[in-house]
């Protein structure tokens, strides 16, 4: 560590903003063989957590050098444990350590400090998400810090085509008022794992573009639900930060350019082109996916096409991203490209209080609920 002691403290926007942005630019995200994903926070390093009820960012310093950062947020969610199915959980994200200072225990110390902050604020469980093949993250959290595998949701990415998707005329659509959407979510998804108790705040946030339902034409939406129906909500992440793909293989670049050319010159073939992900772009995040009835899958697919067309009309939205439970059958109806998607993201969890450790063992043993609520504020 040189002649300086490591200092970990809370983020100071006036003192740290530029240095944190510089550190984040130097830290790549994603496996090199698929291309590296860079994030432009648009001048606000805490953009990914600032919409959460309670949040914090910690920075690590060695002398005058800022060498690491970590972010965390706190919320009350549904977890299946006795005696109550509610718990305060802390989400860990944005752990970055400067390349020249890795393998010195800085990441470990940042996580420990964030866990201490969680505990002071009454958090019972801390959890994080990573790619299942991220060995460095797995070794840190599971091998060294005692986290355990919890759930494996699927991240489904659908690029926005240069043409609108065809919408079936067999279904009706309706955009719900926030109050109605909140009532529906509390009625049908409140028992879903990690369902946030402040769902109303999410739906009322300016980044939430709305909630839509779909049902068969000829039926009505009212006091009773149709024979089949589906719902989802949309969050505009492009207003918070932009993404850009870098260091991809030349074959990927050639495929992108050729697919765009084919779609433009030979539209009759209806071959979807890959958007130019090598320029900064925004994306829509679909959350709260739910459906009932024999046609629920087809209705979800149709709603996703509706969202695609919304994104198509947007200025810089180049992808629609949906994250659902790994065992959720509706995932098979959500349009996505396998090349861009992650079929098994990995969530790991840790009990921060002694009395919660036995509950955690029961939670791990319990089969996951079909649905999993992924909070758009933590994407």
């Amino acid at each position: 560590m040189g002649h300086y002691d490591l200092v970990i403290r809370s983020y100071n926007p006036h003192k740290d903003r530029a240095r944190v942005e510089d550190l984040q630019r130097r830290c790549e995200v994603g496996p090199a063989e698929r291309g590296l994903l860079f994030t432009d926070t648009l001048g606000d390093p805490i953009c990914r957590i600032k919409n959460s009820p309670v949040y914090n960012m910690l920075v690590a310093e060695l002398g005058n050098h800022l060498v690491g950062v970590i972010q965390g947020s706190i919320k009350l969610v549904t977890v299946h444990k006795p005696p109550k199915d509610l718990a305060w959980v802390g989400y860990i994200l944005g752990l970055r350590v400067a390349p020249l200072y890795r393998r010195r225990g800085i990441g470990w110390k940042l996580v420990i400090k964030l866990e201490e902050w969680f505990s002071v604020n009454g958090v019972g469980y801390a959890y994080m998400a990573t790619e299942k093949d991220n060995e460095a993250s797995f070794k840190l959290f599971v091998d060294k810090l005692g986290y355990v595998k919890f759930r494996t949701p699927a991240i489904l990415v659908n690029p926005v085509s240069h043409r609108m998707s065809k919408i079936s005329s067999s279904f009706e659509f309706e955009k719900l008022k926030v109050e109605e959407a909140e009532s529906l979510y509390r009625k049908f998804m409140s028992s879903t794992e990690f369902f946030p108790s402040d769902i109303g705040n999410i739906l009322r946030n300016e980044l939430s573009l709305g909630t839509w339902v779909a049902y068969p034409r000829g039926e009505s939406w009212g006091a009773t639900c149709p024979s089949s129906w589906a719902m989802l909500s949309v969050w505009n992440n492009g207003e918070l930060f932009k993404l850009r793909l870098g260091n991809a293989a030349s074959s990927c670049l050639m495929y992108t350019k050729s697919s765009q050319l084919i779609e433009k010159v030979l539209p009759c073939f209806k071959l979807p082109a890959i958007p130019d992900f090598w320029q900064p772009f925004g994306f829509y995040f679909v959350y709260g996916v739910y459906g009932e009835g024999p046609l629920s899958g087809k209705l979800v697919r149709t709603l996703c096409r509706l969202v695609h067309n919304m994104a198509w009309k947007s200025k810089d939205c180049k992808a629609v991203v949906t994250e659902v439970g790994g065992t959720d059958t509706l995932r098979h109806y959500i349009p996505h490209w396998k090349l861009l998607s992650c079929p098994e993201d990995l969530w790991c969890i840790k009990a921060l209080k002694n009395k919660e450790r036995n509950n955690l063992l029961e939670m791990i043993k319990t089969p996951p609920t079909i649905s999993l609520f992924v909070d758009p504020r933590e994407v």
Side-chain angles (χ1 to χ4, degrees):
M1 298 285 182
H3 300 292
Y4 302 99
D5 292 328
L6 184 70
V7 175
I8 297 178
R9 58 172 176 78
S10 292
Y11 166 75
N12 182 325
H14 302 291
K15 180 180 178 181
D16 303 323
R17 185 190 301 269
R19 296 194 298 165
V20 169
E21 286 191 306
D22 178 66
L23 173 62
Q24 291 176 334
R25 277 193 294 267
R26 289 184 284 126
C27 294
E28 306 88 358
V29 178
E33 64 270 15
R34 296 187 202 165
L36 303 173
L37 197 60
F38 297 92
T39 303
D40 180 359
T41 59
L42 306 178
D44 186 5
I46 62 169
C47 64
R48 292 181 63 193
I49 56 173
K50 67 179 184 181
N51 288 289
S52 297
V54 184
Y55 60 87
N56 194 10
M57 174 189 271
L58 302 177
V59 300
E61 285 183 315
L62 273 176
N64 294 323
H65 299 285
L66 193 146
V67 297
V69 297
I70 194 170
Q71 301 179 45
S73 60
I74 298 173
K75 61 182 178 180
L76 184 64
V77 302
T78 297
V79 294
H80 298 296
K81 68 174 187 65
K84 295 182 178 180
D85 288 342
L86 288 173
W88 289 99
V89 297
Y91 180 55
I92 298 173
L93 70 162
L95 175 60
R96 304 283 185 269
V97 176
L100 293 178
Y101 295 89
R102 291 172 183 171
R103 305 184 191 281
R104 303 188 185 188
I106 295 174
W108 180 86
K109 292 180 180 179
L110 280 166
V111 176
I112 292 297
K113 283 293 184 181
L114 188 62
E115 289 179 349
E116 291 175 359
W117 177 74
F118 284 156
S119 296
V120 169
N121 285 275
V123 169
Y125 304 92
Y127 74 107
M128 49 77 69
T130 186
E131 292 186 332
K132 68 173 184 178
D133 55 358
N134 188 331
E135 292 185 9
S137 182
F138 188 86
K139 287 181 179 179
L140 173 61
F141 283 93
V142 177
D143 296 345
K144 296 181 179 180
L145 289 163
Y147 285 71
V148 294
K149 297 180 183 179
F150 181 54
R151 296 292 180 252
T152 53
I155 301 176
L156 308 175
V157 180
N158 190 35
V160 177
S161 173
H162 292 284
R163 64 170 67 91
M164 295 183 71
S165 295
K166 185 177 180 180
I167 303 295
S168 173
S169 60
S170 301
F171 304 126
E172 299 272 9
F173 302 95
E174 188 170 329
K175 184 177 182 180
L176 302 180
K177 295 180 179 179
V178 171
E179 294 77 15
E180 187 176 4
E182 180 178 358
S183 176
L184 275 178
Y185 276 125
R186 293 195 184 279
K187 180 178 180 180
F188 292 101
M189 293 196 76
S190 61
S191 61
T192 299
E193 280 188 320
F194 279 72
F195 179 82
S197 65
D198 66 333
I199 181 65
N201 291 336
I202 298 175
L203 297 171
R204 290 178 178 84
N205 191 291
E206 61 182 8
L207 296 175
S208 191
L209 301 181
T211 301
W212 284 263
V213 293
Y215 50 93
R217 185 174 295 278
E219 300 189 37
S220 60
W221 183 263
T224 59
C225 294
S227 59
S228 292
W229 62 280
M231 67 185 298
L232 56 73
S233 299
V234 185
W235 186 270
N236 185 8
N237 280 84
E239 292 295 317
L240 285 178
F241 59 88
K242 308 294 183 186
L243 298 176
R244 176 177 63 84
L245 197 63
N247 293 0
S250 58
S251 58
C252 293
L253 292 168
M254 292 177 63
Y255 182 74
T256 298
K257 297 300 181 183
S258 61
S259 67
Q260 292 174 350
L261 180 62
I262 291 174
E263 185 185 52
K264 182 177 181 180
V265 177
L266 301 171
C268 58
F269 286 99
K270 297 183 179 180
L271 296 175
I274 298 179
D276 185 1
F277 289 129
W278 286 268
Q279 299 298 323
F281 66 92
F283 67 96
Y284 285 171
F285 184 77
V286 174
Y287 68 99
V289 180
Y290 184 82
E292 289 192 352
L295 297 177
S296 59
K298 293 181 179 179
L299 290 164
V300 166
R301 178 185 293 145
T302 304
L303 282 172
C304 288
R305 289 174 177 168
L306 178 69
V307 177
H308 170 276
N309 292 346
M310 290 168 50
W312 181 82
K313 296 176 183 178
S314 176
K315 181 179 179 181
D316 68 347
C317 182
K318 295 182 180 179
V320 177
V321 180
T322 309
E323 188 168 5
V324 294
T327 59
D328 194 335
T329 55
L330 292 177
R331 62 180 288 188
H332 302 296
Y333 296 90
I334 297 173
H336 65 281
W337 281 29
K338 291 183 179 180
L339 177 67
L340 303 173
S341 302
C342 176
E344 284 190 25
D345 197 30
L346 178 62
W347 284 19
C348 297
I349 192 169
K350 176 182 179 179
L352 299 182
K353 298 178 180 180
N354 289 331
K355 65 179 182 179
E356 304 291 8
R357 292 198 173 102
N358 290 334
N359 290 333
L360 179 59
L361 292 176
E362 293 300 320
M363 288 167 57
I364 299 301
K365 293 177 183 178
T366 303
T369 55
I370 294 178
S371 300
L372 177 69
F373 199 99
V374 180
D375 195 326
R377 298 171 297 188
E378 297 174 349
V379 175

